[in-house]
Amino acid sequence: MQATIELENEAGYFKISGAGGAFGDEGVELAPGPKGMWSTEFTTLIVSGSMQVGGYVAGEEVPVRRMTLTLHLHDMGEGVEATVSRFRLMWGSPVSKLRPVTWRYTSVYSGERWLTLLLEKEILFSQEKDWNLQGYAKAVVSVVALEPRYESQQLEVTVTNPSNGEHTLWAPCWNPTDQYAWPEWGLKPNGTATFALPDFSFDQEQDIDPKWVPGDQADRMVVTPAINKLWSVMTERSMDPYVASDLSNAGGQMGGVRLLYPIPPHTGTADDPVMLPVIINGPAGAKAKLILRRFWSAESGLEA
């Protein structure tokens, strides 16, 4: 069964493809041959010395996603200009403000995944004759997705201290994707509390330091000082590891200690999740919220 593809933001909505190629009553139809909508582009980086035979892998380069879409904008009763105007308004205007647009790809096999798109350049119109005579406008749209991977519904789990004092609570976690998933934590002390957060290595120690032994940090926990403000804790290495709601020096309070490890691809399942311990020492009602964003290297498939 064919996937459904939609474009949407606060300024507009268009179903551009569906079962049998049918588009929605909004009047915009995706033409055959879209470019850049499938797998995430990457290049393996190879390093080799002047006397070396072959080389070794130094990493991967993953650029922004670029897509080129040809769309037919039809007259749905108010003239082609009305459809063109609504379509242009959704994307915003250069110099003024470009609007992010959600590209939503929904398949029977994998459900809903999406990208966030921005216009890369002006919308080009290619007409063989006046669009009012032709009955539709032919638009070529060039867009970029700064996050090139498709995203699906994130995992959110909140654990709450049931009473005053120290308690060990359990957050079920699983990563069904083909990508590493980086835990994010929101800490709400509800007064003053300390939090011990799981940072299990899943045998990834040597991704941090080749001298480390796999499994040595299988049960690593990171403990905060006593806090009385909301904290955001990020594992992903390009993000600030700690941000307090009052912008005080949360990172300094942690003395350089941070969470290190992502959840590997295809770890756990909804029926058999990894149970992550969270230790809260504080008043009743103190909370820790786990957020696990889920990214995929393609529009569908890749489940374990």
Side-chain angles (χ1 to χ4, degrees):
M1 186 174 180
Q2 187 168 344
T4 297
I5 303 175
E6 302 158 290
L7 296 170
E8 184 176 18
N9 64 9
E10 72 283 355
Y13 168 84
F14 297 92
K15 176 184 172 183
I16 62 175
S17 184
F23 57 95
D25 295 338
E26 306 79 27
V28 176
E29 174 189 15
L30 180 63
K35 297 179 180 178
M37 66 171 281
W38 310 109
S39 298
T40 301
E41 179 184 347
F42 76 96
T43 301
T44 299
L45 302 177
I46 304 297
V47 175
S48 60
S50 59
M51 302 297 291
Q52 182 179 357
V53 176
Y56 61 89
V57 174
E60 297 170 354
E61 181 180 27
V62 183
V64 300
R65 181 186 291 265
R66 286 183 162 83
M67 298 167 60
T68 303
L69 312 170
T70 300
L71 299 126
H72 296 164
L73 281 57
H74 294 271
D75 178 0
M76 302 304 287
E78 299 178 297
V80 174
E81 285 89 349
T83 306
V84 170
S85 179
R86 287 186 290 107
F87 188 72
R88 282 171 164 161
L89 282 170
M90 181 179 66
W91 293 98
S93 302
V95 181
S96 174
K97 183 180 181 182
L98 295 176
R99 293 190 179 102
V101 173
T102 298
W103 163 280
R104 185 178 298 109
Y105 186 100
T106 306
S107 66
V108 173
Y109 187 81
S110 296
E112 180 182 313
R113 297 181 188 175
W114 63 85
L115 300 165
T116 300
L117 307 180
L118 287 170
L119 279 181
E120 185 173 22
K121 56 185 178 181
E122 73 279 7
I123 299 172
L124 300 176
F125 289 93
S126 176
Q127 300 299 126
E128 297 175 2
K129 55 184 177 181
D130 186 288
W131 58 36
N132 289 300
L133 297 175
Q134 191 165 305
Y136 69 91
K138 182 180 179 182
V140 178
V141 182
S142 298
V143 295
V144 294
L146 302 182
E147 168 53 71
R149 299 169 297 175
Y150 278 84
E151 187 169 3
S152 64
Q153 185 64 44
Q154 66 188 20
L155 174 68
E156 296 185 10
V157 179
T158 299
V159 296
T160 304
N161 213 20
S163 60
N164 294 340
E166 180 176 298
H167 296 85
T168 299
L169 310 167
W170 298 90
C173 175
W174 66 100
N175 176 16
T177 80
D178 68 319
Q179 302 289 293
Y180 290 103
W182 299 88
E184 305 173 12
W185 294 92
L187 308 181
K188 183 178 180 181
N190 199 35
T192 299
T194 64
F195 297 83
L197 302 177
D199 188 35
F200 295 177
S201 65
F202 297 97
D203 291 330
Q204 298 175 105
E205 283 86 350
Q206 292 184 344
D207 293 343
I208 307 297
D209 189 324
K211 296 188 294 295
W212 290 1
V213 177
D216 268 5
Q217 299 187 25
D219 56 358
R220 182 177 192 252
M221 302 288 287
V222 173
V223 182
T224 72
I227 63 174
N228 58 15
K229 298 290 190 297
L230 301 178
W231 271 29
S232 172
V233 181
M234 308 290 285
T235 310
E236 211 282 323
R237 293 162 192 164
S238 66
M239 306 295 289
D240 286 339
Y242 305 99
V243 177
S245 60
D246 63 351
L247 301 183
S248 57
N249 187 15
Q253 293 181 62
M254 292 299 297
V257 176
R258 65 172 298 165
L259 278 71
L260 299 174
Y261 299 107
I263 309 299
H266 304 141
T267 297
T269 66
D271 294 329
D272 185 22
V274 176
M275 300 303 292
L276 299 178
V278 180
I279 303 172
I280 302 178
N281 188 359
K287 300 177 185 290
K289 181 178 182 179
L290 168 65
I291 297 176
L292 202 67
R293 295 180 69 183
R294 290 169 167 167
F295 293 98
W296 306 79
S297 65
E299 79 296 333
S300 65
L302 299 167
E303 299 89 347

